[in-house]
Amino acid sequence: MAGQTTLAAEPDERSPLLVNQQAQPGSSATSTTSISKNSDTVVHVRESSSGDSNAPSYTDSVSTDTSLLRDIESEAATGQPSKDHASFGTLARVVLVLMIGVFVSNADGSLMLATHPVIASEFNDLESSSWLFAGFVLASAATQTMYGKLSDIYGRKNLILVSYIIFALGCALVGVGQSMFQVILGRVISGAGGSGMTALVSILISDLLPIRDVASWRAYINIAATTGRSLGGPAGGWLADVIGWRWSFIGQVPLMLIAVALCQIYLPSNAEQFKGGKRVEPDHSVSSWERLKSVDFLGSLLLALTLLTLLMPMEIGGSKVPWSSPIIPALFGVGVILFFFFLRTERRAIEPVVPLEIFSIRDANLSIFVQMTQLAAQLGLMFSVPLYFKASASVSNTEAGAHLFPAVAGNAIGGIIAGIYIKRTGRYRNLIILAAFSASLSYFSLLVSWHGHTNWFQSLYIAPGGFGSGLIQSAVFVSLQVVVKPHHMAPAISLLYLSGTCAMILGLACVSTVMHEFLKSGLESNLAALALDPADRAEIFQNALSNIEYISTLAGDVKTAVVRAYVDSLWWSHTVSLAFSSVALFASFFIGEKPLGKSEPLPQAEQLSEEES
């Protein structure tokens, strides 16, 4: 290219695809960035230096003439979209269509939170109710990182369609399952699809928007998510009361089929050709087959097996097998060995599924850690709320699910406020601190006031917890994007969602284990104090432990003893949420901040070329 000049500019929020041109220590690739004097185009070439002469190189051509916001203004004035940017109409269509899948997936999560006691009780297996969540999130963790890589090859649209179909198949199996195993298997399949539904939405938005605008557009997605969570709980509880819980899941299938049809019609087929709101010319010199061969399938498999073996003990310990069983340390040991092999594989991979250099960035690690601890705290709370009100107030499934509304409403408000604040100020660190503080205050309030006789005002104490989660998810997403290099953005986003999935497993396992252990000891001591016949006491103990609906059949001192055991055990579960949130608050003070500048054009290529000359 005539008149080329090599630049050594660090990326910032205004230049989403300009990467560091110097090879980093330990890096396996070198990069050069050239600017044409005769056109407003940056050409980024990345070549492998791993010693493999056959390793593919990638060339990206990126327009640098204006920001996406200026392009939207131009489109509004002329009625013609720019050739170099995603148009406003494209963005609006993408967001509206994706809202359907986001709505359904979040409704699915909240209706499961509302109905899991009913589902497990139908099979007389309340102790396994946590597997209705754990199966979903374990499958999500195993498949999360692959969606970003495969969507780079086969397109965001195609992978979104695949994830929707897999999710629908899982919902259908849950609805027709005739055993607890079949229902959990359906949740596993749904989780494999649900991981793509969440991660790919965020990747798409990051492709089509400059970083400062991401939070505000994600606020609209958050509204759909919150609406789904708000309606899912009460709707699932109402369906369980009226026609049975199965229709909560069967009813999702036609909605997902509608979403598939609309995505096929309206989603752009070339969304992956935008990076940070700029159009990227695709590299046709490397075939899809060659790119597929470079995908780190071995790393993905090792990562999935590592997560399964490390997280499995937290699910089976204390319920399926005792904590003293040799199976528990054996699984942890195998997990550590698999993790070692995973690290070796990633260091040698041409296109690692998890670029290890992300973990060398302090703020990236802190951002991921803060979201993990916050989500672990929040899911633990959401798991315990329906159980608390069914046990303490003998409410219907509908009302138990409705008690989740303050948290999901707070989540929506938090997401919207975060989007507006980041858009106007370009700052995010204070939001992360505020989020962790708000959540910690919420869980502390539950410890003080939720003792079995909770009035309507006290039931709102879960709202600040949801508010904190809404703030932190938007703010951490931007915090990660600021510090991660553009060509690592898709795996970084997948990693963020993967960490959230692992946090859900961790939070759920901790809360469920603590709750059931204290429930067992509470039932034993409370029933022993009533001087019941040993046979009757054993029957009450077993029924109360396996089926929460059994409480409504009790009366007098026996019912009081069982309710007190449930309330006390759930009090201890709130201490787990408070511990996680307090750790998040402490860590949030160490996150740095890179204020985001106004969306504005980069200096003209011709001026830069002349200065270098």
Side-chain angles (χ1 to χ4, degrees):
M1 182 184 297
Q4 287 185 350
T5 301
T6 300
L7 301 179
E10 287 294 329
D12 60 24
E13 69 283 351
R14 302 174 302 166
S15 52
L17 281 180
L18 293 177
V19 300
N20 188 3
Q21 288 76 28
Q22 305 297 325
Q24 299 297 323
S27 174
S28 61
T30 60
S31 300
T32 60
T33 301
S34 301
I35 297 184
S36 171
K37 186 171 182 177
N38 300 320
S39 65
D40 295 333
T41 303
V42 173
V43 177
H44 171 61
V45 182
R46 180 161 58 89
E47 298 176 347
S48 172
S49 61
S50 61
D52 184 0
S53 59
N54 297 320
S57 62
Y58 303 99
T59 303
D60 296 332
S61 176
V62 188
S63 170
T64 65
D65 52 345
T66 62
S67 69
L68 179 59
L69 292 182
R70 293 179 184 274
D71 182 62
I72 292 172
E73 294 171 358
S74 174
E75 179 187 348
T78 63
Q80 298 295 326
S82 166
K83 65 179 180 180
D84 291 324
H85 298 282
S87 68
F88 180 83
T90 297
L91 288 172
R93 286 194 300 271
V94 167
V95 170
L96 287 173
V97 170
L98 292 177
M99 279 183 176
I100 301 174
V102 171
F103 173 86
V104 174
S105 63
N106 281 272
D108 173 85
S110 64
L111 68 85
M112 178 56 72
L113 286 166
T115 59
H116 72 90
V118 182
I119 298 172
S121 295
E122 179 173 314
F123 300 106
N124 291 316
D125 198 4
L126 188 61
E127 284 191 354
S128 297
S129 66
S130 64
W131 279 96
L132 296 171
F133 305 96
F136 185 96
V137 294
L138 282 171
S140 296
T143 58
Q144 191 90 65
T145 55
M146 289 305 302
Y147 277 103
K149 286 289 185 182
L150 292 178
S151 68
D152 285 338
I153 301 173
Y154 298 107
R156 310 283 192 239
K157 176 179 179 178
N158 292 331
L159 266 295
I160 285 178
L161 293 175
V162 169
S163 66
Y164 281 14
I165 292 172
I166 294 175
F167 182 83
L169 290 174
C171 289
L173 180 57
V174 172
V176 300
Q178 297 302 306
S179 67
M180 192 64 172
F181 172 79
Q182 293 176 357
V183 173
I184 292 173
L185 178 61
R187 295 298 293 167
V188 169
I189 296 173
S190 293
S195 62
M197 293 169 66
T198 54
L200 289 174
V201 168
S202 293
I203 293 174
L204 257 175
I205 292 177
S206 297
D207 286 343
L208 299 174
L209 288 165
I211 186 172
R212 182 155 171 165
D213 303 309
V214 167
S216 57
W217 278 84
R218 274 173 58 87
Y220 300 122
I221 293 292
N222 195 57
I223 291 174
T226 303
T227 303
R229 288 193 293 269
S230 301
L231 297 179
W238 178 79
L239 289 171
D241 288 335
V242 177
I243 58 177
W245 58 266
R246 297 179 184 275
W247 288 99
S248 299
F249 300 93
I250 294 175
Q252 295 180 58
V253 177
L255 292 177
M256 292 311 302
L257 295 179
I258 293 172
V260 167
L262 292 176
C263 286
Q264 180 64 39
I265 295 171
Y266 292 109
L267 285 191
S269 299
N270 64 339
E272 62 279 3
Q273 294 178 18
F274 290 87
K275 300 295 179 185
K278 307 291 186 180
R279 183 181 291 278
V280 178
E281 294 300 327
D283 180 16
H284 298 293
S285 64
V286 182
S287 67
S288 295
W289 173 245
E290 290 175 322
R291 297 186 69 187
L292 181 63
K293 289 192 296 184
S294 72
V295 174
D296 185 18
F297 288 108
L298 177 59
S300 297
L301 176 62
L302 288 173
L303 177 60
L305 293 175
T306 299
L307 292 172
L308 288 174
T309 51
L310 290 177
L311 295 172
M312 188 70 71
M314 288 182 278
E315 283 301 318
I316 64 175
S319 57
K320 301 300 181 183
V321 298
W323 286 106
S324 58
S325 170
I327 295 176
I328 302 298
L331 285 172
F332 278 123
V334 171
V336 171
I337 295 172
L338 289 171
F339 182 66
F340 172 77
F341 283 110
F342 166 73
L343 292 178
R344 288 178 56 88
T345 300
E346 294 306 277
R347 289 192 181 102
R348 298 177 179 181
I350 297 174
E351 290 290 329
V353 68
V354 178
L356 297 182
E357 68 179 79
I358 293 176
F359 297 107
S360 66
I361 305 172
R362 191 200 66 169
D363 282 353
N365 292 329
L366 284 172
S367 297
I368 291 172
F369 178 76
V370 168
Q371 176 170 288
M372 283 187 67
T373 49
Q374 184 65 32
L375 288 180
Q378 179 67 9
L379 190 69
L381 173 71
M382 300 293 279
F383 172 81
S384 63
V385 167
L387 287 172
Y388 175 83
F389 283 101
K390 284 189 69 66
S392 65
S394 299
V395 300
S396 65
N397 295 311
T398 305
E399 188 173 347
H403 277 290
L404 293 171
F405 179 77
V408 294
N411 188 273
I413 296 171
I416 294 171
I417 289 177
I420 295 173
Y421 181 84
I422 294 173
K423 172 72 175 176
R424 291 183 177 178
T425 68
R427 296 182 177 274
Y428 50 86
R429 181 174 179 269
N430 290 338
L431 289 177
I432 298 175
I433 296 174
L434 174 62
F437 176 78
S438 175
S440 298
L441 180 62
S442 175
Y443 307 137
F444 178 77
S445 299
L446 300 187
L447 292 177
V448 172
S449 62
W450 280 28
H451 298 296
H453 300 284
T454 304
N455 58 43
W456 70 269
F457 181 77
Q458 292 172 330
S459 69
L460 301 178
Y461 287 177
I462 64 174
F467 178 74
S469 294
L471 286 178
I472 215 160
Q473 290 182 65
S474 295
V476 163
F477 189 84
V478 172
S479 174
L480 184 67
Q481 282 193 290
V482 168
V483 297
V484 172
K485 293 181 178 180
H487 59 279
H488 286 158
M489 194 58 65
I493 292 174
S494 295
L495 180 63
L496 181 66
Y497 276 96
L498 173 61
S499 66
T501 300
C502 294
M504 292 178 185
I505 299 174
L506 177 63
L508 183 62
C510 291
V511 167
S512 178
T513 299
V514 168
M515 178 258 180
H516 280 101
E517 290 301 317
F518 278 97
L519 178 60
K520 289 178 183 178
S521 61
L523 285 172
E524 288 177 349
S525 60
N526 291 353
L527 293 175
L530 297 179
L532 298 172
D533 181 79
D536 292 338
R537 185 167 64 247
E539 180 181 357
I540 295 171
F541 175 87
Q542 187 59 42
N543 288 334
L545 195 64
S546 62
N547 187 349
I548 197 170
E549 303 289 346
Y550 177 71
I551 296 178
S552 61
T553 66
L554 301 175
D557 292 340
V558 174
K559 183 174 184 178
T560 300
V562 172
V563 169
R564 175 50 51 193
Y566 264 95
V567 170
D568 290 344
S569 66
L570 290 168
W571 185 92
W572 284 104
S573 74
H574 300 326
T575 65
V576 176
S577 292
L578 178 60
F580 277 122
S581 189
S582 298
V583 171
L585 177 60
F586 177 77
S588 66
F589 286 102
F590 295 94
I591 294 180
E593 183 172 49
K594 180 181 178 182
L596 307 178
K598 295 287 186 180
S599 294
E600 57 189 18
L602 291 171
Q604 291 298 315
E606 184 173 347
Q607 294 174 350
L608 288 174
S609 180
E610 290 175 354
E611 290 175 2
E612 287 292 326
S613 299

